[in-house]
Amino acid sequence: PKEYNPCPKKAGGCPCNHPGGNPGLPTGFMVRRVIRVEDSCMWQKYVDRREAIRQKHGGGDVEKFDPPILSDEVADKHHDLFGNLDSSINEVYLWHGTNVRAALSIAQDDFNIDLAGDNTGTMYGRGAYLAESSTKADEYAKDER
């Protein structure tokens, strides 16, 4: 949507972002900066939770995504960049679009669900919204002014 003259809210989303719209759908992207963030405490929480899910489901009764998640194809092609995932528990790579300040806060303090939707709303309720497509997450990533 246009930043200073937003489109009216309507079913199907902003007409600007539809084929033939003005400015239309993105045709490419440019990576401006990549920041690698590692937090051993947050990672250990994730590893512990992943193991609890494995134990609970035993690798057998988790319904598979249909169609497959878009990011799986990229991760499978680039083993040198992405760690192996456990498809038996539907472990996938997802994107989160946000502004720079919020990203730095997430990197430092993890997701704070109490702040969910403060910048963009909560269409489906409170929670951390993630996307399988980088272009979808980009719709929520705003430049700082």
Side-chain angles (χ1 to χ4, degrees):
K2 295 169 261 171
E3 191 169 335
Y4 297 108
N5 187 14
C7 294
K9 297 213 179 222
K10 58 193 253 182
C14 175
C16 298
N17 293 328
H18 288 251
N22 183 15
L25 296 170
T27 58
F29 62 90
M30 178 178 65
V31 175
R32 296 176 58 190
R33 179 173 36 174
V34 174
I35 301 170
R36 182 181 176 115
V37 177
E38 293 185 28
D39 182 314
S40 59
C41 292
M42 276 194 267
W43 178 251
Q44 191 58 53
K45 285 182 195 177
Y46 174 79
V47 169
D48 292 345
R49 182 67 181 132
R50 179 179 59 190
E51 186 56 33
I53 292 169
R54 281 183 182 136
Q55 295 298 318
K56 179 179 179 181
H57 293 285
D61 61 349
V62 177
E63 185 176 343
K64 301 297 177 209
F65 292 112
D66 184 23
I69 300 297
L70 295 172
S71 56
D72 286 353
E73 183 179 335
V74 175
D76 290 345
K77 285 182 184 176
H78 300 282
H79 292 288
D80 55 326
L81 299 174
F82 296 93
N84 293 329
L85 299 175
D86 186 347
S87 62
S88 74
I89 58 169
N90 283 339
E91 186 177 30
V92 297
Y93 286 105
L94 298 172
W95 299 88
H96 178 69
T98 190
N99 61 53
V100 173
R101 284 189 194 149
L104 293 172
S105 177
I106 290 166
Q108 183 171 345
D109 300 319
D110 205 357
F111 281 96
N112 183 343
I113 298 302
D114 292 337
L115 299 176
D118 282 359
N119 293 319
T120 57
T122 54
M123 180 180 274
Y124 301 106
R126 291 217 139 330
Y129 286 64
L130 304 167
E132 61 181 298
S133 169
S134 62
T135 55
K136 183 63 179 176
D138 182 58
E139 293 176 26
Y140 299 91
K142 306 229 182 333
D143 286 333
E144 302 270 333
R145 296 221 176 248

